[in-house]
């Protein structure tokens, strides 16, 4: 898009002036070339990854697609930025191709229970088909409270409004709303797959009553697959304990990191296609620094790509990767500094130990002595509080930094 806009504006400028200045033309061509190069950067981060750029996850994908098509209720868990949303998005795409109606909602996007319910209803109705047809199938909807439903004939959009004012309590109508997918699939003869992303946030709406209402309805919906995905595994696991409504509601899927060899192949392939190489030491440094967290692998690779374009460097090695990582750490240093200032002395000490020596022996006497961590119970408390602050999380039992560049900054700072 940007490239085209640039071309239009420049051409207009050229026509208006009536003469083509050589310098102007060269500058335009260079800017245009730069733009296409940047647009071509194949490493994408911070966005949901589409089918074409999806690395591995073949087993997880076929598992998820099969379970959702079977009407299972799947719980997808992993720490932040491991690729849950991307996995679900590709899975829903595959289901759509099989004529399964799909719905996707991010629970954390809504500021109130009412708004969440309205969007849930809207998206389910939209996925089910034109309102004109859908309305005859909806029998339970609005039995207790009459919602306002607006249908726009031109756009085909359905808008649902449950009640005005912040004091409105949607609890009585929630079961009817959550029953909608079941109603529709039963009457219309199609299947549905629904994703509720950032699901751990649902307890913010009215506590246990939401979980109860939702659980009671979804367990009756044989034709509807659900994936409840959550970025805070500890909160999600709490939701699945014996005392909570979702206990044993369906299979749990823990998303692992993507294997090193898949990333190597992916990164190598893209650089080669552009006529560049990155040596093995460079690749390993990149993957090690990113701690194999998908978001960070893509982010460093993205920066390395731009760096190589700018310098037009054909052969890249560990020193280039290092330069790019240093630049990234520097660009984030204000943020890291602020974060650091907010931490207690105990928390800082624990992070220093973690940054220098990793998680495996964090409780050992030697490490506690060297880093002046205090007794093991104090270390445990510090780590726990850092976990709830989203500075660290657990993967396969061990703590790790959610932002893998933070330990780089910490070690540099203390050097
Ligand atoms: N299979 C994949 N192949 C390539 N890159 C991926 C893959 N999965 C994730 N990524 C990278 O990780 C980034 C984060 O992915 P995504 O948003 O799907 O993760 P998430 O677990 O939903 O994160 P959050 O917990 O923050 O919502 C993507 O933008 C992309 O850069
Ligand atoms: Mg996500």
């Amino acid at each position: 898009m940007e490239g085209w806009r640039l071309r239009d504006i420049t051409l207009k400028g050229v026509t208006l002036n009536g003469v083509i200045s050589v310098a102007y033309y060269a500058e335009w061509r260079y800017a245009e070339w730069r733009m296409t190069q940047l647009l071509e950067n194949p490493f994408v981060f911070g966005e949901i990854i589409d089918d074409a750029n999806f690395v591995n996850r073949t087993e997880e994908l076929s598992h998820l697609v099969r379970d959702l098509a079977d009407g299972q209720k799947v719980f997808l868990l992993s720490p932040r930025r491991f690729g849950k949303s991307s996995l679900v998005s590709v899975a829903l795409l595959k289901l759509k191709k099989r004529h399964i109606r799909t719905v996707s909602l991010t629970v954390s996007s809504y500021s109130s229970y009412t708004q969440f319910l309205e969007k849930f209803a809207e998206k389910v109705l939209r996925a089910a088909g034109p309102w004109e047809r859908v309305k005859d199938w909806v029998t339970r909807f609005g039995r207790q409270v009459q919602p306002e439903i607006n249908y726009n004939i031109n756009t085909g959009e359905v808008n649902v409004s449950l009640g005005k004012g912040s004091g409105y309590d949607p609890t009585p109508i929630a079961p009817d709303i959550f029953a909608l997918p079941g109603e529709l699939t039963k009457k219309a003869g199609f299947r549905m797959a629904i994703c509720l992303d950032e699901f751990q946030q649902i307890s913010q709406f009215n506590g246990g009553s939401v979980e109860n209402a939702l659980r009671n309805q979804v367990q009756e919906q044989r034709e509807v697959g659900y994936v409840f995905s959550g970025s805070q595994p500890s909160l999600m696991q709490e939701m699945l304990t014996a005392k909570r409504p979702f206990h044993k509601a369906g299979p749990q899927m823990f998303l692992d990191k993507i294997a090193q060899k898949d990333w190597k192949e992916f990164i190598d392939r893209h650089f080669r296609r552009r006529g560049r190489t990155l040596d093995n030491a460079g690749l390993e440094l990149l993957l090690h620094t990113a701690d194999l967290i998908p978001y960070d692998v893509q982010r460093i690779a993205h920066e390395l790509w731009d760096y190589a374009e700018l310098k037009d460097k054909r052969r890249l090695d560990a020193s280039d990767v290092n330069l790019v990582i240093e630049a990234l750490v520097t660009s984030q240093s204000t943020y890291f500094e602020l974060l650091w200032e907010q931490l207690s002395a105990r928390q800082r000490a624990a992070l220093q130990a973690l940054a220098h020596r990793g998680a495996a022996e964090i409780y050992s006497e030697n490490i506690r002595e060297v880093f002046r961590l205090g007794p093991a119970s104090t270390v445990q408390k510090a780590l726990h509080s850092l976990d709830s602050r989203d500075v660290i999380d657990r993967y396969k039992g061990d703590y790790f930094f959610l932002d893998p560049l933070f330990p780089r900054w910490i070690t540099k700072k203390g050097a």
Side-chain angles (χ1 to χ4, degrees):
M1 271 317 275
E2 287 294 308
W4 287 110
R5 208 180 308 141
L6 180 82
R7 189 201 300 255
D8 288 349
I9 292 166
T10 313
L11 278 178
K12 234 185 259 167
V14 169
T15 327
L16 275 177
N17 290 336
V19 272
I20 300 174
S21 133
V22 174
Y24 190 40
Y25 179 76
E27 198 182 320
W28 158 47
R29 289 308 301 260
Y30 177 73
E32 194 182 51
W33 175 80
R34 284 285 306 137
M35 209 59 108
T36 45
Q37 301 313 303
L38 290 175
L39 283 178
E40 266 180 21
N41 194 324
F43 302 109
V44 177
F45 63 100
E47 279 170 39
I48 285 175
I49 290 289
D50 59 20
D51 218 352
N53 289 306
F54 204 65
V55 180
N56 192 307
R57 299 266 193 246
T58 41
E59 247 172 62
E60 295 94 328
L61 193 58
S62 62
H63 224 100
L64 188 58
V65 168
R66 194 185 59 215
D67 282 356
L68 288 175
D70 282 351
Q72 296 253 38
K73 322 300 180 231
V74 184
F75 293 82
L76 179 63
L77 284 68
S78 88
R80 289 222 150 276
R81 295 164 171 179
F82 268 45
K84 294 173 297 300
S85 302
S86 301
L87 175 69
V88 171
S89 152
V90 176
L92 293 187
L93 214 69
K94 289 203 181 299
L95 290 163
K96 220 169 176 173
K97 285 187 187 147
R98 287 161 65 169
H99 307 291
I100 293 177
R101 309 292 174 105
T102 63
V103 174
S104 184
L105 274 101
T106 302
V107 175
S108 54
S109 306
Y110 308 112
S111 59
S112 68
Y113 192 13
T114 306
Q115 195 188 29
F116 168 67
L117 289 171
E118 285 170 346
K119 294 298 165 198
F120 183 91
E122 268 174 32
K123 292 202 172 194
V124 168
L125 290 171
R126 264 182 228 164
W131 171 242
E132 283 305 320
R133 188 147 33 105
V134 168
K135 67 176 191 225
D136 298 329
W137 298 328
V138 181
T139 48
R140 267 181 76 183
F141 192 35
R143 201 172 48 191
Q144 308 199 35
V145 180
Q146 201 62 50
E148 196 180 295
I149 301 178
N150 292 310
Y151 172 64
N152 183 329
I153 301 176
N154 297 325
T155 61
E157 297 262 294
V158 179
N159 286 299
V160 178
S161 171
L162 294 179
K164 305 273 184 295
S166 57
Y168 173 74
D169 178 16
T171 312
I173 200 184
D176 287 349
I177 302 259
F178 292 139
L180 266 179
E183 290 272 311
L184 292 167
T185 48
K186 237 186 281 161
K187 300 262 165 41
F190 52 67
R191 303 180 80 89
M192 231 181 211
I194 299 180
C195 164
L196 295 183
D197 205 355
E198 301 296 350
F199 188 62
Q200 76 279 350
Q201 302 264 345
I202 200 133
S203 48
Q204 287 186 358
F205 304 143
N206 225 5
S209 99
V210 194
E211 289 172 47
N212 252 322
L214 188 55
R215 166 74 205 253
N216 288 340
Q217 295 305 324
V218 304
Q219 70 185 7
E220 314 227 326
Q221 299 172 8
R222 301 278 309 269
E223 314 294 313
V224 188
Y226 280 85
V227 52
F228 304 104
S229 63
S231 300
Q232 282 158 299
S234 51
L235 284 183
M236 284 290 283
Q237 274 166 327
E238 223 175 280
M239 285 180 89
L240 300 171
T241 53
K243 289 195 189 91
R244 302 275 287 268
F246 278 101
H247 181 57
K248 292 199 171 155
Q252 292 180 33
M253 199 168 154
F254 288 87
L255 204 55
D256 264 339
K257 290 178 179 174
I258 297 168
Q260 174 145 325
K261 71 166 187 12
D262 297 318
W263 281 124
K264 277 190 175 176
E265 189 276 323
F266 174 73
I267 296 169
D268 184 66
R269 176 160 43 92
H270 281 298
F271 275 111
R272 270 184 202 284
R273 210 179 267 168
R274 184 83 188 120
R276 306 193 198 285
T277 57
L278 171 60
D279 71 3
N280 193 49
L283 261 172
E284 291 198 342
L285 175 64
L286 190 161
L287 296 173
H288 176 75
T289 309
D291 197 13
L292 288 181
I293 299 173
Y295 176 95
D296 296 280
V297 172
Q298 292 264 17
R299 185 177 175 209
I300 300 173
H302 183 101
E303 294 302 322
L304 185 66
W305 178 279
D306 282 355
Y307 161 94
E309 289 299 321
L310 203 67
K311 299 204 164 232
D312 198 15
K313 210 164 171 196
R314 304 250 149 230
R315 298 161 78 112
L316 301 158
D317 59 27
S319 66
D320 300 302
V321 176
N322 229 332
L323 276 175
V324 165
I325 292 167
E326 283 304 314
L328 271 171
V329 173
T330 307
S331 72
Q332 264 184 248
S333 59
T334 315
Y335 164 72
F336 289 147
E337 194 75 54
L338 258 166
L339 177 61
W340 191 251
E341 277 168 17
Q342 289 167 8
L343 301 175
S344 71
R346 293 283 190 209
Q347 288 173 326
R348 289 180 192 174
L351 288 183
Q352 278 172 339
L354 213 54
H356 283 275
R357 306 293 270 275
E361 290 171 65
I362 187 97
Y363 294 113
S364 75
E365 213 177 315
N366 171 266
I367 301 260
R368 282 190 288 117
E369 231 174 76
V370 173
F371 290 92
R372 302 186 188 89
L373 300 184
S377 60
T378 309
V379 183
Q380 201 177 16
K381 245 171 69 189
L383 293 173
H384 194 79
S385 60
L386 287 162
D387 188 343
S388 25
R389 284 192 70 141
D390 265 355
V391 177
I392 56 175
D393 202 342
R394 275 174 195 264
Y395 178 67
K396 300 197 166 164
D398 278 339
Y399 281 112
F400 72 99
F401 282 88
L402 276 169
D403 185 340
L405 297 183
F406 195 29
R408 284 279 296 220
W409 180 84
I410 292 173
T411 43
K412 206 171 136 193
K413 185 183 170 71

